Amino acid sequence: MLQDAKAEEIMTSVKEQEAIRKLMVFLQEWDSAHKVARSRILDNFIKSNNGKTEPELELEFSQGASLFLARLTAWLRMTYMYSTCLNKLLKSIGIFLSAASGRRYLIEFLEIGGVLILLEILGLNHLKEEDKRESVKLLQLVADAGRKYKELICESYGVRSLAEFLAASNSAEALEDVQVLLVSLGRGNSKYQNQVYKGLIAVLPCASPRAQQLALQALGAMQDIVGKAPSILVEPVLDVLCSVHLEVQSEAIQLLRALMAHEVRPALLKGLVAFLMPPRKKMLTFYNTTAKDPATLCLKQPVLVYIQQAAAAKAIGILAKESAEVAEELLQLRVVHGLMVAVGNLDHLASQRHASISLEYFVHTFPFVEECVKKALGHTLFRHFMDSPETWYTKMDPVQAEELASNRVDIPRDMARMPSTEGSTGSTAANTVAASGEGRAQEQDEGERAPGEEAGAGRHSPPCP
């Protein structure tokens, strides 16, 4: 029995020595190998060890896995600027950092300045996008390790590096990875959450629509975490409404909805209403007719202010329908006048359509608005509006459109604060409201009920002066 135990001990010792010998041979092979040979070693390592845990890696390397990791990180430090097997090298390091129970591998990587190297990779223009994406993946593994590791990335100017990469990258996959990482850095990291939030705001003016869309999504996800919305957010969010990409506009509107509960609401609403009335000198532009792309050979295209006008009209309707308070604030900002200006924009159908739909809501909700719009449009045009708000503007002639664009409908502040009363009387609502229509024949008797008015309401308001 004793002899069997000794024999087994000797066999174990022999196996351990053989395993150690193989490890040393492997490490010597790595040390003496050049680029091609090391690339082959990395291929085999990735294929054989992907998804392994820390105990499994230690068993594979005879309790010497850290020796190989040290060699990988040393080669990374020396060669990352030259893209020498960089993708494979980062994937190999990722096997160690993602290993279950492998916290010590993470610490060893960080001790050699791993975070700074990964962040610097993101800023090197000559490196491939796929290499930068692998770098982002490793940074995500670091962030997933806990709050102090998130703080380490932020302390290393990580937010700025990631925001710049988000604004500049052409890789859709990399952009999504960076967005997830930035939101991750903002969660459970109270010390730097505002820095992450402001970093995302800085991305909004960039030229990449996908980056804008992802930044807007991330800001929405972080809004509840941050709480307050800084005033520096107002201009960038409103400016992205001029994007020709509907997905960007949609995300901007979603963020605007979330921001209505914050102190920046008045500034945002004021900006939206202002977009409805762009300066006349900016309203038309001509694209380069010498362009080779047939899609660009249009004599006249809507400039960005038209796109912004349409998006603002759409956003106003959505925001007003969600909150009576918001609707009343918009009325105080002369939103009815602005919507009618947009409806009169014959050069941009989207502006007319969205403004008409939003105007319909105010007309149905506020009796005094209905009276004033009725007065401004006249009986026939108002009937078309109420019957088909999504298409009625196609029946306007240039003279009618010009009258709308130059209308002077104004809702006094005390009227705008009146509660919306669907079905209630609004007999005194229009007494002090100014409307355009000077010189236009009024085709409707004062006591006639307009199309779209609720039956039984019995409204009979004096005409707008």
Side-chain angles (χ1 to χ4, degrees):
M1 197 73 165
L2 184 59
Q3 289 179 345
D4 291 342
K6 287 184 177 180
E8 185 176 346
E9 184 178 343
I10 292 172
M11 283 293 287
T12 301
S13 178
V14 170
K15 289 181 180 179
E16 289 177 350
Q17 290 177 3
E18 179 62 19
I20 292 173
R21 186 190 68 79
K22 288 182 178 180
L23 173 62
M24 297 308 294
V25 169
F26 173 78
L27 296 177
Q28 289 172 4
E29 180 185 358
W30 172 268
D31 293 340
S32 61
H34 294 291
K35 177 180 175 180
V36 175
R38 286 188 174 184
S39 178
R40 186 178 64 254
I41 292 172
L42 292 176
D43 283 334
N44 293 333
F45 174 76
I46 294 169
K47 183 178 180 180
S48 303
N49 297 282
N50 193 32
K52 283 189 175 180
T53 64
E54 185 267 352
E56 290 171 334
L57 287 172
E58 290 301 322
L59 181 62
E60 177 73 19
F61 285 91
S62 304
Q63 308 306 312
S66 290
L67 296 175
F68 185 50
L69 176 59
R71 283 162 168 78
L72 294 178
T73 54
W75 200 36
L76 176 66
R77 292 178 64 184
M78 291 187 293
T79 65
Y80 73 92
M81 296 188 69
Y82 309 106
S83 190
T84 305
C85 300
L86 184 56
N87 193 264
K88 296 176 184 179
L89 190 53
L90 293 172
K91 284 183 177 179
S92 298
I93 293 173
I95 289 175
F96 285 97
L97 300 189
S98 62
S101 305
R103 180 61 59 90
R104 68 189 183 100
Y105 298 145
L106 174 61
I107 294 172
E108 291 167 6
F109 177 69
L110 298 180
E111 286 176 347
I112 61 97
V115 165
L116 289 173
I117 293 173
L118 295 177
L119 292 172
E120 191 167 350
I121 287 172
L122 298 180
L124 297 176
N125 294 331
H126 63 280
L127 295 182
K128 298 176 182 177
E129 290 289 313
E130 60 187 32
D131 296 337
K132 295 180 180 182
R133 188 186 180 197
E134 286 300 323
S135 180
V136 172
K137 288 180 179 180
L138 296 192
L139 287 167
Q140 184 68 65
L141 291 173
V142 175
D144 289 343
R147 178 183 54 81
K148 69 177 183 179
Y149 297 99
K150 294 179 183 179
E151 291 180 353
L152 175 61
I153 294 174
C154 296
E155 289 166 0
S156 304
Y157 301 98
V159 174
R160 184 177 68 183
S161 297
L162 291 166
E164 290 174 353
F165 179 62
L166 179 60
S169 177
N170 296 319
S171 168
E173 296 83 2
L175 287 174
E176 292 177 2
D177 290 342
V178 175
Q179 183 215 36
V180 171
L181 176 55
L182 282 168
V183 174
S184 175
L185 291 176
R187 293 186 187 277
N189 186 12
S190 57
K191 187 176 180 180
Y192 290 100
Q193 64 186 22
N194 287 326
Q195 184 184 106
V196 174
Y197 190 85
K198 291 178 180 179
L200 290 166
I201 294 175
V203 175
L204 295 182
C206 77
S208 167
R210 182 58 177 160
Q212 290 177 321
Q213 181 186 10
L214 292 171
L216 289 165
Q217 287 178 354
L219 286 168
M222 288 197 61
Q223 192 56 59
D224 291 337
I225 301 171
V226 175
K228 292 184 178 180
S231 58
I232 61 170
L233 176 64
V234 173
E235 185 176 348
V237 171
L238 291 176
D239 284 347
V240 296
L241 290 176
C242 70
S243 173
V244 298
H245 300 273
L246 294 180
E247 64 274 15
V248 176
Q249 290 185 17
S250 177
E251 290 298 338
I253 292 173
Q254 290 303 315
L255 181 58
L256 287 172
R257 294 172 65 189
L259 292 173
M260 288 300 100
H262 298 276
E263 61 276 10
V264 294
R265 182 171 82 186
L268 290 171
L269 296 180
K270 184 177 179 181
L272 288 172
V273 174
F275 286 161
L276 296 175
M277 299 168 282
R280 292 247 172 181
K281 62 182 179 180
K282 294 183 179 180
M283 295 187 70
L284 292 179
T285 189
F286 291 86
Y287 275 59
N288 182 8
T289 56
T290 62
K292 295 181 180 180
D293 183 1
T296 66
L297 296 179
C298 297
L299 292 179
K300 185 169 66 177
Q301 289 282 359
V303 289
L304 296 183
V305 290
Y306 282 175
I307 298 170
Q308 210 166 32
Q309 182 188 53
K314 180 179 180 180
I316 283 169
I318 293 172
L319 298 176
K321 290 173 184 176
E322 291 185 348
S323 168
E325 275 188 38
V326 169
E328 291 171 6
E329 288 180 36
L330 286 166
L331 288 175
Q332 294 179 45
L333 293 169
R334 299 188 65 213
V335 71
V336 175
H337 165 67
L339 290 172
M340 292 180 70
V341 169
V343 173
N345 183 3
L346 292 180
D347 293 303
H348 196 48
L349 285 175
S351 289
Q352 292 183 290
R353 180 176 182 274
H354 291 306
S356 180
I357 293 172
S358 297
L359 182 61
E360 181 199 23
Y361 169 76
F362 285 99
V363 167
H364 277 302
T365 306
F366 298 92
F368 53 89
V369 173
E370 178 180 349
E371 294 297 327
C372 293
V373 173
K374 185 192 306 181
K375 180 80 171 178
L377 294 180
H379 172 64
T380 302
L381 209 55
F382 184 77
R383 187 180 70 246
H384 290 321
F385 166 58
M386 297 301 286
D387 289 344
S388 183
E390 294 191 13
T391 60
W392 73 283
Y393 49 83
T394 61
K395 299 179 175 64
M396 283 193 301
D397 58 41
V399 174
Q400 292 170 323
E402 178 60 28
E403 289 180 355
L404 279 179
S406 59
N407 82 88
R408 299 190 180 280
V409 170
D410 192 10
I411 307 295
R413 290 182 177 271
D414 56 340
M415 290 292 181
R417 292 192 183 95
M418 293 177 63
S420 56
T421 54
E422 294 182 23
S424 66
T425 59
S427 58
T428 62
N431 283 337
T432 60
V433 180
S436 66
E438 298 175 2
R440 182 193 303 167
Q442 296 300 315
E443 301 174 311
Q444 179 179 347
D445 292 336
E446 291 180 5
E448 179 181 352
R449 184 169 67 86
E453 182 176 326
E454 286 189 27
R459 291 198 296 270
H460 181 69
S461 302
C464 300

